[in-house]
Amino acid sequence: MAYSRAVFRSVFGRVMTVVMAVLMAAAVGAIVATNDLWGIVCLVWTPILAAVLTWAIMWRPHVVVDHGGVDVVNLVSTWHVPWGAIQRIDTKWALELTTEQGRVTAFAAPAPSRYGVAKVTRDDIRLARESSLVGESIRPGDSVESISGAAAHVTRTHWEELRDAGELAEGERATRTWHPRIIAALAGLGVLALVGQLVH
């Protein structure tokens, strides 16, 4: 079966990243305007760290669903989950894929708050896949109006079609790839920010 590629990102996360970038740029400007060279060198790393950390947590994470399975890009690692490795799809706290290797949670697709239950509509229940039903209803996180629900709906649709057609490959395993550059950048900036604050 051929599937189109779908990418899910948090709009809220992107807005927060832009807001933080603007605030931290202003902070850097204030540091430059009110300190000598030594003070600038010591203090500038803290707002830079805050901006980069916000980008890594709020902007970069995303979920990709395509013919090969689901890629879950989180803060310091990416999980590739082939269709045959998926055992269960849940949205209690966020989009979560249960595999033989454990649970893979997508930071980019959080479920709405408990108040989101009021936003579950008849259309949400009508569009719900069989594996998302809890009795006669669905979780708030399965509403297609939420990012967790939209990602889960596309994932469930592909997974159920393959399952029902008997095309889920046996023995497939989820694999995790670490992001050493991001880990090193955050660790390095963290050290610079801490040392800068201590020596200033």
Side-chain angles (χ1 to χ4, degrees), residues 3 14 31 56 175:
Y3 299 117
R14 293 198 150 197
I31 290 170
T175 55

Side-chain angles (χ1 to χ4, degrees), residues 4 41 46 76-77 90 99:
S4 58
V41 171
T46 299
V76 296
S77 66
D90 196 11
T99 73

Side-chain angles (χ1 to χ4, degrees), residues 23-106:
L23 292 175
M24 292 306 99
V28 169
I31 290 170
V32 171
T34 59
N35 288 273
D36 57 16
L37 182 58
W38 175 247
I40 294 171
V41 171
C42 290
L43 300 176
V44 76
W45 301 109
T46 299
I48 293 175
L49 172 62
V52 173
L53 186 60
T54 303
W55 167 82
I57 294 174
M58 306 291 285
W59 183 291
R60 191 173 187 279
H62 59 280
V63 177
V64 179
V65 182
D66 61 20
H67 68 280
V70 183
D71 289 330
V72 177
V73 180
N74 286 329
L75 174 59
V76 296
S77 66
T78 294
W79 279 96
H80 173 66
V81 187
W83 294 112
I86 298 174
Q87 299 175 346
R88 187 167 181 267
I89 302 163
D90 196 11
T91 59
K92 184 176 182 180
W93 309 113
L95 174 65
E96 187 177 81
L97 308 177
T98 300
T99 73
E100 193 174 288
Q101 288 71 53
R103 295 177 180 176
V104 177
T105 302

